[in-house]
Amino acid sequence: MHLRARLVFIAGLIAASANPASLRAADDISGMRLEDLLRVEVQGASRYAQPLAEAPSAVTLIPAADIRRFGFRDIGEALQSAPGVYTSQDRAYSYLGVRGFSRPGDYNTRILLLVDGARNNDPLFDQALIGNEAPIDIDWIKRLEFVPGPGSASYGGNALFGIANAVLWSGADLDGTRVSFDASSGAGRRASLLSGGRTAAGLDWVAGISAYERRGENLYFAEFDRPGISDGVAHHRDGERYVKAMLKLTWENWRGTVTASQRTKDVPTAYFNTVFDAPGNFARDRSFQVDVARTSTLAPFLDQQLRLHYGHYEYDADYPFVGVVNRDLTRADWWNAEWQLAWTGWSGHRLLGGIELRNQPRLLQRNYNVSPRVDNLNERNAGHGAGIFVQDEWRIAPGWLTNIGVRVDTSEGASPVTSPRAALIWHPRDELTVKLMSGRAFRAANEYERHYGDNVNQKGNPDLREERVTTHEASAEFTPTATLRFGLGYYRYKVRDLIEQETDPADGLLVYRNRDKLSAHGWETDAEILFGEGWRMRGSLAWQSISQPGGEVMNSPHRLGKLLLDGPLPALGATLGLNLQAMSSRRTLLSRVDGHVTGNLVLRQAERLGHGLWSLGIYNLTNRHYRDPVGTELAPIDALERDDRQWRLGWELEL
Amino acid sequence: MGRRLCAALPAALLFAALLATAGRSAAAAERADANEVKAAVIYNLLLFVQWPAQPAPGGDLKLCVLEEGALTTALRRHENKTVQGHSLRILRVGAAPNDLDACAAVMVETGSPELLARLRLVAHGRALLILAEGAGALDRGAMIGIHGDGGRIGFDINLRAMKSSGLGASSKLLRLARSLIE
């Protein structure tokens, strides 16, 4: 263990060894006078959950009720309900597009995934895992928050286009056990158990475990249909399995969370020129993360939060080539330590400051041929970095609020990066809110881009600089009546030193380079209306345009539309959730894919009848055949068809 | 610069942890769960808010909630207690304006800004008290914001918004509020 890590650990132990205070009985509190209540020292104050929901941005909140009502199956599908957000996938991973940006072949490196405020992107690929490969299960989420725009001023690297924060349930929220089983197309089945409560001594606990298996369907690929060689069908090569487990404990002002997940995906696409329809073509992601946080009060109006995070990530993949199996083996271990202070003693201000220390003792990338054994890559590295930030939320005058922040990040072998952000919010009357925001964010080149090189297909580039984005945006919210709301937003951003993969003409090897600038702008508008007895309809439209040298950007739709409708159907004793997604055509590497409209429909029993509650979801309702652009690693496939109509039947029980 | 900063950080963290320990031993030995205290504060707030037209004595005063979280569970402990001669009821409702017809007050745990904006408009035509959690709740549209900054529970009041819905607050509430918009 490094000296730094050891010191941080000791700090944690010292903090832990403080005398445990006794917990006041609830009955005692409920009889107290107001003056006395305001003097009671409390634990578990809301600091953990606060920052994102109050971010000076157009935040989308997706509560668990919406996740159930619309039958969202993973984080990506839930986030896709937000204006201007879209997903694509290549039957290995899911990718999130924001503001027109989602380049095939890139991982989700420009979105930051937080779980209860803790960074979950791994330090090797920098990837925010949002599909079934995610480190957490969708059932564990109490609320999903999505903040579009640059977030590096508070959270450091990766927060270029947005931050997704998954707030997990607490035991007091659950107070019981939820069991669910579901069956779905492609011989899929899933079981999930989530349980939580609060003991008399004040220990709040949540435990969850879920397992999923899907055999997958036979998939036809015209690109591989060569008479005499192959019929173009990948026979049951699309299987997927995962197991995820979580334990979250809150006691006094301590909170600890452990999550573990393993997802294995059979890859049917013969990517990287592997053999089509061959067995043993898989990718496996494992993640294990421990997060310990403590909040406390140092003085009146001065709160602190300490956080220690340990993460472990593994990626294993087998690539069956003719006569030889090639294997990727990737391991990463990292520690993060964070200290934050919040001061509210200055009237009209809310000051927040913090430091973060990152240490990556192991960043291992190996690639070898299994038999006969040939080592192509064996790169072992370590890294560290630090960040410091400060921000102030200032209520200048009634109806006026500003939020100004800046963060400086350093990492080994790179010059410090400064990420400022400023927002001005004007709320002249109940019906209207206007926001102006500007900010800068960055992403440092990751270990994979700098050091992955087998020198057969790809070589590393240790000299890569960070990429930067500068964003300006304005938005207005108008709520003319209590049942009607309109939103309108405009943004403009510039990316420079974008890290892009290209072929080096000198040796024909793929390499990551800092490339030219690109600039983009877009409009987003949304509306919400409440009607009838509990019906709600939300719709959004987004127009986005990116210009870069070399023509239209890949996988960047100019227009996106969404419509979400939900409400009760008393005749059926059920609720209905209808989710329509429309997307205009997108460029692929070689041509284009057409625009499409797809819809998901979910019916859920409104109330439990006897034992359990049933739900039925139909995904891709009209059985639309639509395709996503994919990266060069899938050649000769240029665009990949998404799943056809799928169904899912669920049963859940609350105890 | 980067390396020096890195070296200084563990020391700072250690210092922070020590401060934390010191801060704690100086504080009262007894602590309470934030949600329990918030619930008790909310109950007390209701005692000092003036509604223009009270329902008949002996009737119910309905505090509505939009979701079933930990704070709601804590609030249910106060159900059936007396508030200004009425029996307190905690009622789970939807966000549609009609759902709020019976409510004298509504409490929002972590709501979106859109939700609070909408509630404010519902309150335009009637005496509906809007309570919300979070330090920035007033800026998002709440009449009374309840927060846990500073290790104690505090509340802010937007008296102007309360008055525009015909609600009043006793001088005691105004005195105890951490910040007040008049």
Side-chain angles (χ1 to χ4, degrees):
Chain A
M1 198 189 266
H2 281 238
L3 178 64
R4 261 189 311 279
R6 214 178 301 151
L7 279 172
V8 168
F9 190 66
I10 292 168
L13 281 180
I14 291 172
S17 64
N19 296 330
S22 61
L23 190 71
R24 273 175 188 263
D27 291 343
D28 178 20
I29 291 156
S30 75
M32 283 169 73
R33 293 187 316 147
L34 188 55
E35 294 88 331
D36 300 328
L37 284 167
L38 300 179
R39 278 194 284 269
V40 173
E41 290 268 326
V42 296
Q43 63 186 35
S46 50
R47 274 278 302 123
Y48 291 126
Q50 257 176 29
L52 267 195
E54 292 175 9
S57 183
V59 186
T60 299
L61 297 186
I62 305 165
D66 279 6
I67 292 175
R68 291 173 168 198
R69 205 169 291 151
F70 293 102
F72 298 135
R73 293 168 294 184
D74 57 44
I75 296 173
E77 209 165 65
L79 293 175
Q80 196 175 225
S81 65
V85 177
Y86 59 107
T87 61
S88 49
Q89 65 127 311
D90 59 8
R91 296 200 176 271
Y93 294 97
S94 296
Y95 308 97
L96 197 70
V98 181
R99 296 182 167 177
F101 201 99
S102 175
R103 290 148 22 110
D106 281 356
Y107 300 116
N108 281 326
T109 56
R110 295 169 183 97
I111 301 291
L112 180 62
L113 176 66
L114 305 174
V115 174
D116 276 337
R119 167 183 285 265
N120 265 236
N121 290 43
D122 74 88
L124 224 147
F125 298 107
D126 257 354
Q127 198 171 1
L129 299 171
I130 54 155
N132 281 332
E133 65 274 17
I136 54 165
D137 192 273
I138 189 98
D139 282 359
W140 306 343
I141 300 175
K142 178 188 181 187
R143 184 174 75 243
L144 192 60
E145 307 170 336
F146 182 69
V147 186
S152 289
S154 307
Y155 290 92
N158 302 93
L160 255 65
F161 292 116
I163 301 176
N165 182 32
V167 178
L168 304 186
W169 291 102
S170 74
D173 289 326
L174 286 173
D175 196 23
T177 300
R178 292 175 186 176
V179 186
S180 74
F181 295 97
D182 60 56
S184 52
S185 321
R189 53 211 169 127
R190 178 175 176 280
S192 160
L193 173 76
L194 182 67
S195 194
R198 203 181 160 88
T199 66
L203 177 74
D204 188 286
W205 62 278
V206 187
I209 185 160
S210 53
Y212 169 80
E213 184 182 47
R214 184 176 189 265
R215 191 161 165 237
E217 288 153 347
N218 289 344
L219 296 170
Y220 173 75
F221 298 91
E223 293 85 347
F224 295 102
D225 190 349
R226 294 171 199 141
I229 301 168
S230 167
D231 57 1
V233 176
H235 297 87
H236 296 296
R237 303 287 181 222
D238 191 38
E240 186 170 26
R241 295 160 290 286
Y242 72 66
V243 183
K244 298 176 201 281
M246 175 267 287
L247 178 68
K248 176 171 162 179
L249 299 174
T250 311
W251 186 69
E252 298 266 307
N253 33 8
W254 285 91
R255 190 188 60 189
T257 311
V258 181
T259 59
S261 89
Q262 171 177 309
R263 196 278 310 231
T264 309
K265 180 72 182 65
D266 300 328
V267 183
T269 57
Y271 63 166
F272 300 109
N273 295 313
T274 46
V275 178
F276 181 71
D277 200 21
N281 195 335
F282 73 89
R284 182 165 56 225
D285 294 83
R286 284 196 184 110
S287 147
F288 175 71
Q289 311 205 35
V290 183
D291 191 63
V292 179
R294 176 181 193 264
T295 53
S296 58
T297 302
L298 299 176
F301 310 116
L302 184 63
D303 283 349
Q304 73 165 352
Q305 178 178 313
L306 277 162
R307 185 199 286 279
L308 268 180
H309 189 94
Y310 166 74
H312 172 78
Y313 172 74
E314 296 183 9
Y315 166 74
D316 291 286
D318 271 10
Y319 310 100
F321 291 102
V322 180
V324 63
V325 172
N326 178 266
R327 182 167 289 170
D328 259 335
L329 184 149
T330 302
R331 302 285 180 268
D333 288 305
W334 71 98
W335 287 91
N336 274 17
E338 230 180 79
W339 180 44
Q340 283 190 17
L341 282 175
W343 190 53
T344 47
W346 186 9
S347 177
H349 288 261
R350 207 163 152 255
L351 276 156
L352 202 65
I355 49 181
E356 186 191 350
L357 184 73
R358 298 183 301 275
N359 188 22
Q360 297 116 25
R362 178 164 72 151
L363 297 168
L364 169 70
Q365 299 188 85
R366 295 183 63 188
N367 178 278
Y368 55 91
N369 295 350
V370 177
S371 172
R373 177 66 180 248
V374 179
D375 280 313
N376 305 313
L377 169 74
N378 190 354
E379 186 79 30
R380 289 159 195 270
N381 286 304
H384 59 78
I388 181 161
F389 80 96
V390 62
Q391 75 172 55
D392 184 25
E393 193 180 277
W394 178 23
R395 196 184 296 140
I396 314 169
W400 290 89
L401 185 77
T402 62
N403 190 305
I404 294 168
V406 64
R407 176 168 165 135
V408 180
D409 280 274
T410 69
S411 58
E412 202 172 6
S415 48
V417 188
T418 307
S419 313
R421 182 182 64 189
L424 179 66
I425 299 160
W426 182 46
H427 188 54
R429 43 190 296 157
D430 291 346
E431 290 85 352
L432 183 67
T433 307
V434 179
K435 296 178 185 178
L436 293 174
M437 291 156 281
S438 273
R440 260 207 330 244
F442 78 100
R443 177 177 80 87
N446 61 43
E447 183 67 15
Y448 171 71
E449 290 158 342
R450 290 171 63 203
H451 296 296
Y452 187 93
D454 49 18
N455 292 322
V456 179
N457 291 311
Q458 188 173 333
K459 63 178 180 180
N461 179 2
D463 301 325
L464 280 172
R465 295 184 306 278
E466 76 279 355
E467 55 185 26
R468 317 271 297 255
V469 65
T470 307
T471 307
H472 303 286
E473 52 187 298
S475 74
E477 287 270 344
F478 182 50
T479 315
T481 75
T483 53
L484 196 60
R485 183 182 62 80
F486 297 105
L488 180 66
Y490 176 76
Y491 62 81
R492 188 172 266 287
Y493 66 80
K494 274 197 167 72
V495 182
R496 59 186 171 89
D497 293 334
L498 183 72
I499 297 170
E500 241 183 326
Q501 197 176 42
E502 60 181 30
T503 304
D504 188 337
D507 50 21
L509 293 175
L510 289 167
V511 64
Y512 285 95
R513 294 251 165 86
N514 289 102
R515 291 284 300 275
D516 290 335
K517 289 177 185 172
L518 66 79
S519 61
H521 66 101
W523 291 91
E524 282 167 2
T525 174
D526 68 318
E528 179 175 356
I529 181 166
L530 306 177
F531 61 96
E533 295 294 314
W535 284 83
R536 180 176 55 153
M537 186 159 71
R538 286 171 283 168
S540 69
L541 287 170
W543 293 264
Q544 44 216 12
S545 166
I546 306 182
S547 34
Q548 72 163 17
E552 189 183 343
V553 176
M554 282 170 62
N555 196 20
S556 179
H558 283 300
R559 294 182 303 281
L560 281 171
K562 289 151 207 290
L563 189 75
L564 286 99
L565 173 73
D566 69 282
L569 295 172
L572 290 176
T575 60
L576 175 138
L578 177 69
N579 172 4
L580 299 177
Q581 303 271 333
M583 197 189 285
S584 66
S585 78
R586 290 168 287 171
R587 209 202 100 183
T588 66
L589 193 65
L590 304 173
S591 65
R592 306 192 67 80
V593 294
D594 293 334
H596 66 264
V597 180
T598 60
N600 301 339
L601 179 77
V602 176
L603 286 171
R604 235 180 105 79
Q605 264 186 310
E607 274 171 51
R608 242 177 304 155
L609 296 170
H611 296 290
L613 188 148
W614 291 88
S615 66
L616 175 67
I618 312 278
Y619 300 83
N620 192 355
L621 200 57
T622 55
N623 204 18
R624 178 80 204 215
H625 296 279
Y626 67 108
R627 296 180 303 155
D628 281 336
V630 291
T632 49
E633 70 276 15
L634 267 77
I637 300 172
D638 184 44
L640 194 60
E641 192 163 315
R642 292 284 281 258
D643 278 328
D644 53 10
R645 187 187 295 127
Q646 304 279 304
W647 55 267
R648 185 175 76 160
L649 184 66
W651 179 80
E652 53 194 79
L653 185 63
E654 278 189 35
L655 300 167
Chain B
M1 184 267 176
R3 282 180 181 280
R4 268 210 306 278
L5 182 61
C6 285
L9 281 173
L13 279 169
L14 187 65
F15 181 55
L18 287 170
L19 272 179
T21 318
R24 250 184 89 151
S25 48
E30 272 196 325
R31 300 175 140 262
D33 175 69
N35 284 316
E36 298 289 351
V37 178
K38 280 183 184 172
V41 167
I42 290 170
Y43 168 70
N44 272 275
L45 291 173
L46 297 178
L47 301 179
F48 299 103
V49 169
Q50 290 126 23
W51 277 268
Q54 296 282 3
D60 292 339
L61 187 134
K62 294 190 178 75
L63 169 59
C64 299
V65 294
L66 299 169
E67 60 177 318
E68 207 74 31
L71 180 54
T72 301
T73 308
L75 270 171
R76 290 200 186 278
R77 230 182 268 286
H78 299 269
E79 197 151 22
N80 297 326
K81 279 193 180 177
T82 310
V83 177
Q84 304 181 26
H86 309 290
S87 181
L88 179 66
R89 292 259 176 263
I90 311 294
L91 198 66
R92 167 109 189 249
V93 296
N98 305 347
D99 292 343
L100 296 157
D101 280 349
C103 312
V106 58
M107 201 280 299
V108 182
E109 286 196 30
T110 306
S112 57
E114 299 98 75
L115 177 65
L116 281 166
R118 189 192 307 140
L119 289 175
R120 269 291 275 278
L121 292 169
V122 173
H124 273 187
R126 67 181 89 159
L128 176 69
L129 178 71
I130 303 165
L131 299 151
E133 251 188 313
L138 291 198
D139 298 311
R140 287 177 289 135
M143 294 173 181
I144 302 186
I146 297 122
H147 46 81
D149 274 346
R152 290 181 170 87
I153 302 303
F155 60 88
D156 304 324
I157 298 183
N158 186 343
L159 188 62
R160 194 164 13 145
M162 284 179 71
K163 280 181 176 164
S164 72
S165 289
L167 300 168
S170 78
S171 57
K172 175 172 170 166
L173 282 196
L174 303 181
R175 184 162 41 85
L176 291 173
R178 275 203 199 164
S179 67
L180 179 67
I181 298 177
E182 282 182 281

